[in-house]
């Protein structure tokens, strides 16, 4: 009996040694593949907060070139930062001026008729459009960083202002209406300057490209439909902007409100402008034809109405444009009273829309010429020009896409083209405005219709449908909101859908199951790569998002659902049940306390199922927070790996056979 006990003890020890040796050899075999996850050094909390703030608001390090410079040089650099013209102006020469002169004269010929027409969109007298193309471009030329953008009133902002101002003061002939327009312009400038100085320009990026495409297209159709008043010669026209009200107003006036002489003039010049636009688009060398066509239309139609006295037959004309330079309007701004609140509200909305359009245009042409545009500097420049503009009888101005395109095609070299345009507008205000008295409104309507057609980007809408259905929904929501209600509702829908997309992506991030590609050590999404095979006894899940309070519970529940579904499917196959759950965390850029708690709950749920939790490739921020919490103690450092391959090599008993 004693010998048998001794024999059993020896056999048990030998068996244990064999098992131990096998395990040791297995781990030795895996050791060359195992790399410990690096733990970032602990940082000072205040230093970390400072670095985060610097990266958020001062990623471009705007003050770096001031370091080590003498006081006199710092003054020069400071002035150049505020007025970029002092920097690039030193290398300005006659060759560049020739290009800017031609471009400036060309865009001036386009902007003069457009300014008169756009002022009508804002329900302002024609001279206020010209005022806005005199002061604003001058200021931008000294402060802006774009070489190609052309400044002035634009159709969308003019319509937005006209609609929102009329909601507050229905009588747009009253002086209070004009004062409210200046007040809105003042606060639009304040908003834009504040965004630039506080370096909060990233806020305008919350308006997604899809939402802007839909908003612009809807605004273009709304603007074009409203021009039927001038094109058809209708006198009693609705003040509403939605498509139903506009079409009802058009058809109720069909028997007595339409004027056939006006229709003939309007359609004739509309056909001419469209033909010129088509020829310019077909051949880039003919760009000047599209640029000069509006001014030519105004001159010819004005002369025709004057010699035929068509205005006596019911053809509506401009009648009068105030002569002279901008009068001071600082005393007309509402700084108190019942219109202060609406003025701020309208100004903020108009300022943001104007800024979004300008920044988009500036970046587009900067990319074409391979130079950079400073977004925050642009905001300060736009804000300054609108603030000063509000004090000199201007309304909200921004970058115009049609004029900027002509400016670019005409060979502009610098912002001096804006100065040339401004001087031409000044000469027009001083000497030529009386000649526009007989300009028919039908021609101005035709000019606006042709100008806004370019805002409808059908190719972009088709691309949105192909790439992202949610983006397409945002686009259509903004579009239908504008045409069936008004521009404010369309803008609100655009913002809401854009935020909804962000929230959906944050709160419902993707999680995917990974498998091993045959003949490699690479692990990829099993749905994207059907040949990727899953590891027996293991489930590998990748989380494609940072883990925050907003999505932590969803991620935990989704991982458990993955586990349950995989368990059920593997029961029906020869695969062994899942013993290890590997969470691949390389896309997880950050995790908060809610995320830590969610993983603690996940660990406890897995323990009840007899499944071990393993983490793979956590980033430095995530690793630091894992060590700072109890989660690391719960999981164990031996369950944290640099890669999925390391984890499989360590715990996957059949990994070598896969």
């Amino acid at each position: 009996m004693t010998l048998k006990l001794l024999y059993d003890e020896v056999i048990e020890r030998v068996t244990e040694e064999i098992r131990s040796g096998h395990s040791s050899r297995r781990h030795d075999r895996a050791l060359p593949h195992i790399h410990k996850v690096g733990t970032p050094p602990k940082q000072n909390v205040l230093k970390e907060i400072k670095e985060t703030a610097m990266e958020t608001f001062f990623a471009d390090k705007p003050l770096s070139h001031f370091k080590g410079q003498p006081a006199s040089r710092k003054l020069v650099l400071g002035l150049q930062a505020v007025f970029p013209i002092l920097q690039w102006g030193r290398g300005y020469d006659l060759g560049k001026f020739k290009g800017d002169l031609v471009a400036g004269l060309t865009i001036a010929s386009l902007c003069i008729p457009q300014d008169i027409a756009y002022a009508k969109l804002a329900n302002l007298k024609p001279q206020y459009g010209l005022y806005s193309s005199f002061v604003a471009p001058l200021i931008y030329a000294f402060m802006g960083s774009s070489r190609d953008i052309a400044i002035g009133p634009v159709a969308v902002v003019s319509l937005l202002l006209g609609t929102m101002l009329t909601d507050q003061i229905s009588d747009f002939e009253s002086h209070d209406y004009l004062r409210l327009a200046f007040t809105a312009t003042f606060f639009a400038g304040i908003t834009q300057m504040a965004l630039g100085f506080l370096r909060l320009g990233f806020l305008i990026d919350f308006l997604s490209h899809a939402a802007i495409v839909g908003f612009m297209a809807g605004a273009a159709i709304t603007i074009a439909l409203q021009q039927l008043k001038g094109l058809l010669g209708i006198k009693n026209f609705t003040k509403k902007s939605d498509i139903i009200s506009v079409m009802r107003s058009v058809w109720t006036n069909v028997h007595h409100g339409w004027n056939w002489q006006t229709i003939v003039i309007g359609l004739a010049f509309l056909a001419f402008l469209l033909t010129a636009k088509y020829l310019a688009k077909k051949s880039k060398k003919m760009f000047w034809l599209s640029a000069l066509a509006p001014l030519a239309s105004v001159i010819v139609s004005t002369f025709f109405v004057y010699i035929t006295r068509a205005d006596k037959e019911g053809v509506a004309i401009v009648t009068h444009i105030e002569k002279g330079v901008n009068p001071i309007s600082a005393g007309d701004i509402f700084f108190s009273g019942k219109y202060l609140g609406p003025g701020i509200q309208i100004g903020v909305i108009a300022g943001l829309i104007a800024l979004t359009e300008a920044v988009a245009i500036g970046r587009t042409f900067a990319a074409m010429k391979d130079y950079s545009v400073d977004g925050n500097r642009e905001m300060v420049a736009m804000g300054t020009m609108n603030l000063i503009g509000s004090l000199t009888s201007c309304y909200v101005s921004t970058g115009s896409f049609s004029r900027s395109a002509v400016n670019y095609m005409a060979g502009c070299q610098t912002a001096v083209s804006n100065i040339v345009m401004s001087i031409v507008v000044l000469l027009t205000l001083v000497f030529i405005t009386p000649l526009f008295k007989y300009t028919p409104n039908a021609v101005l309507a035709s000019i606006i219709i042709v100008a806004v057609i370019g805002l409808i980007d059908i190719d972009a809408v088709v691309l949105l449908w192909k790439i992202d259905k949610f983006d397409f929904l945002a686009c259509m929501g903004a579009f239908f909101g504008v045409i069936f209600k008004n521009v404010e509702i369309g803008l609100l829908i655009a913002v809401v859908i854009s935020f909804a997309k962000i929230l959906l992506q944050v709160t419902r991030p993707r999680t995917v199951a990974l498998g091993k590609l045959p003949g490699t050590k690479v692990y990829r999404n099993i749905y994207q790569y059907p040949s990727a095979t899953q590891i027996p006894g293991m489930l590998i899940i990748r989380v494609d998002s940072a883990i925050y309070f907003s999505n932590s519970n969803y991620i935990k529940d989704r991982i458990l659902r993955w586990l349950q579904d995989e368990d059920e499917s593997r029961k029906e196959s020869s695969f062994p049940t899942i013993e290890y759950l590997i969470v691949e965390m390389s896309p997880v850029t950050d995790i908060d306390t809610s995320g830590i708690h969610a993983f603690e709950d996940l660990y406890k749920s897995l323990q009840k199922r007899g499944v071990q939790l393993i983490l793979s490739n956590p980033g430095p921020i995530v690793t630091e927070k894992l060590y700072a919490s109890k989660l690391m103690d719960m999981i164990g450092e031996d369950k944290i790996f640099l890669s999925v391959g390391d984890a499989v090599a360590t715990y996957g008993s059949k990994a070598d056979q896969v």
Side-chain angles (χ1 to χ4, degrees):
M1 192 69 178
T2 306
L3 289 173
K4 188 177 185 308
L5 288 172
L6 182 61
Y7 174 79
D8 290 342
E9 186 178 347
V10 170
I11 292 298
E12 187 177 346
R13 287 183 180 180
V14 170
T15 303
E16 183 65 30
E17 287 178 7
I18 290 172
R19 287 177 179 171
S20 177
H22 174 75
S23 176
S24 177
R25 286 194 301 272
R26 179 177 150 206
H27 281 272
D28 287 343
R29 206 167 53 242
L31 279 176
H33 306 285
I34 308 303
H35 305 87
K36 184 174 175 62
V37 174
T39 306
K42 291 186 178 180
Q43 290 190 1
N44 182 280
V45 176
L46 293 177
K47 183 180 179 182
E48 189 174 351
I49 293 174
K50 180 182 177 182
E51 288 179 356
T52 303
M54 290 295 292
E55 186 62 28
T56 302
F57 299 104
F58 302 97
D60 55 343
K61 298 181 179 179
L63 302 178
S64 59
H65 57 290
F66 285 88
K67 290 183 179 179
Q69 300 290 342
S72 58
R73 180 60 180 165
K74 286 181 179 179
L75 177 62
V76 172
L77 291 174
L79 290 173
Q80 289 178 352
V82 178
F83 304 104
I85 194 172
L86 298 177
Q87 184 175 6
W88 56 260
R90 290 178 300 174
Y92 198 74
D93 54 30
L94 184 60
K96 290 180 179 179
F97 178 70
K98 289 179 180 178
D100 288 334
L101 178 63
V102 173
L105 293 173
T106 306
I107 57 176
S109 67
L110 176 62
C111 87
I112 291 170
Q114 281 188 347
D115 290 343
I116 296 172
Y118 291 162
K120 285 185 169 292
L121 277 179
N123 297 319
L124 296 170
K125 293 180 180 178
Q127 64 263 24
Y128 293 105
L130 294 172
Y131 292 159
S132 302
S133 279
F134 165 50
V135 173
L138 274 180
I139 297 169
Y140 180 84
F142 284 87
M143 299 187 67
S145 60
S146 173
R147 305 173 196 167
D148 302 278
I149 197 169
I151 298 297
V154 296
V156 173
V157 177
S158 299
L159 173 68
L160 182 67
L161 272 178
T163 304
M164 297 183 75
L165 292 173
T166 306
D167 288 342
Q168 298 296 325
I169 303 175
S170 58
D171 182 13
F172 49 78
E173 294 290 339
S174 68
H175 187 60
D176 280 348
Y177 183 93
L178 183 62
R179 292 185 64 188
L180 187 57
F182 294 151
T183 304
T185 304
F186 178 85
F187 286 105
I190 292 292
T191 300
Q192 293 169 337
M193 287 182 68
L195 288 174
F197 279 123
L198 298 176
R199 307 186 71 80
L200 298 174
F202 60 86
L203 292 177
I204 65 174
D205 293 332
F206 280 100
L207 263 180
S208 67
H209 171 70
I212 292 173
V213 168
F215 175 77
M216 289 294 187
I221 290 178
T222 300
I223 291 168
L225 288 175
Q226 287 195 326
Q227 300 319 300
L228 293 175
K229 174 186 178 181
L231 202 64
L232 302 176
I234 300 173
K235 294 181 179 179
N236 298 318
F237 200 74
T238 180
K239 293 182 179 180
K240 297 181 179 179
S241 61
D242 63 282
I243 187 172
I244 295 175
S245 299
V246 170
M247 295 312 298
R248 184 185 292 120
S249 185
V250 169
W251 291 115
T252 52
N253 285 283
V254 67
H255 296 297
H256 305 290
W258 293 17
N259 181 275
W260 71 267
Q261 294 97 330
T262 300
I263 295 173
V264 170
I265 294 172
L267 292 180
F269 283 99
L270 179 62
F272 168 68
L273 290 166
L274 288 172
T275 302
K277 189 179 184 73
Y278 171 77
L279 293 174
K281 191 174 182 180
K282 195 173 182 181
S283 174
K284 291 184 178 181
K285 294 181 180 179
M286 300 284 286
F287 75 91
W288 56 269
L289 186 61
S290 178
L292 296 177
L295 185 60
S297 299
V298 168
I299 293 172
V300 172
S301 64
T302 301
F303 180 72
F304 173 78
V305 171
Y306 176 73
I307 62 173
T308 61
R309 296 314 305 266
D311 56 307
K312 301 292 185 182
E313 302 297 327
V315 176
I317 58 176
V318 172
T319 66
H320 178 68
I321 299 180
E322 196 73 36
K323 186 178 179 181
V325 297
N326 306 33
I328 300 300
S329 57
D332 290 329
I333 296 174
F334 289 113
F335 290 110
S336 61
K338 66 177 182 178
Y339 291 123
L340 175 60
I344 295 173
Q345 178 186 345
I346 297 169
V348 169
I349 295 173
L352 289 175
I353 293 297
L355 203 55
T356 301
E357 186 171 355
V359 171
I361 293 169
R363 287 174 178 171
T364 298
F365 288 104
M368 293 170 69
K369 285 190 176 180
D370 193 25
Y371 68 92
S372 60
V373 170
D374 188 326
N376 290 298
R377 184 179 294 175
E378 286 293 285
M379 294 171 199
V380 173
M382 294 280 173
T384 304
M385 75 181 192
N386 279 312
L387 192 150
I388 295 176
S390 69
L391 307 178
T392 53
S393 299
C394 303
Y395 73 95
V396 181
S397 299
T398 187
S400 165
F401 185 80
S402 58
R403 279 180 238 175
S404 298
V406 169
N407 197 30
Y408 172 82
M409 296 297 295
C412 72
Q413 299 296 313
T414 67
V416 171
S417 61
N418 275 291
I419 298 176
V420 174
M421 178 187 72
S422 178
I423 292 172
V424 173
V425 172
L426 171 62
L427 295 175
T428 302
L429 282 166
V430 174
F431 299 109
I432 306 176
T433 48
L435 300 180
F436 291 110
K437 177 180 178 180
Y438 290 99
T439 301
N441 289 338
V443 170
L444 299 179
S446 300
I447 291 171
I448 292 176
I449 291 172
V450 174
V452 299
I453 285 175
L455 297 177
I456 304 173
D457 194 343
I458 296 180
D459 291 338
V461 176
V462 173
L463 189 62
L464 290 173
W465 171 259
K466 291 180 179 178
I467 295 176
D468 192 321
K469 300 300 186 290
F470 202 99
D471 272 351
F472 179 79
L473 177 64
C475 176
M476 290 296 99
F479 174 76
F480 288 118
V482 171
I483 66 171
F484 283 109
K485 194 62 179 175
N486 53 47
V487 288
E488 302 104 294
I489 296 298
L491 182 61
L492 179 62
I493 292 173
V495 172
V496 168
I497 294 179
S498 297
F499 269 101
K501 181 179 180 181
I502 295 171
L503 290 174
L504 186 63
Q505 290 177 337
V506 170
T507 59
R508 293 295 182 267
R510 288 179 180 154
T511 56
V512 297
L514 304 183
K516 185 180 180 183
L517 295 179
T520 72
K521 295 182 180 180
V522 178
Y523 293 82
R524 290 292 182 267
N525 186 347
I526 59 175
Y527 292 107
Q528 184 178 2
Y529 299 91
S531 62
T533 55
Q534 292 180 286
I535 308 301
M538 288 188 162
L539 175 62
I540 307 168
I541 300 295
R542 188 182 71 215
V543 179
D544 291 341
S545 168
I547 303 174
Y548 295 124
F549 65 94
S550 58
N551 61 21
S552 56
N553 285 325
Y554 169 78
I555 291 173
K556 179 198 70 177
D557 294 339
R558 187 68 185 91
I559 291 175
L560 290 174
R561 286 205 306 273
W562 271 111
L563 183 63
Q564 182 178 349
D565 294 343
E566 284 296 321
D567 262 337
E568 291 176 358
S569 65
R570 293 188 185 192
K571 284 178 183 177
E572 301 172 0
S573 65
S574 58
F575 259 45
T577 57
I578 297 170
E579 298 177 18
Y580 298 98
L581 173 68
I582 302 175
V583 180
E584 156 67 325
M585 302 186 72
S586 54
V588 180
T589 56
D590 199 359
I591 188 170
D592 65 3
T593 52
S594 297
I596 295 291
H597 290 314
F599 266 84
E600 289 174 354
D601 293 340
L602 175 64
Y603 175 82
K604 294 173 184 176
S605 297
L606 293 176
Q607 287 293 99
K608 294 177 182 179
R609 297 169 184 245
V611 178
Q612 292 292 320
L613 177 61
I614 299 172
L615 303 183
S616 165
N617 196 22
I621 296 175
V622 176
T623 302
E624 183 180 349
K625 292 182 179 181
L626 289 177
Y627 275 96
S629 68
K630 295 180 181 180
L631 184 59
M632 182 61 74
D633 297 332
M634 292 178 66
I635 299 175
E637 288 193 41
D638 60 328
K639 301 293 194 306
I640 312 293
F641 291 89
L642 184 62
S643 68
V644 173
D646 286 356
V648 171
T650 303
Y651 290 101
S653 59
K654 299 182 181 180
D656 295 335
Q657 303 172 17
V658 178

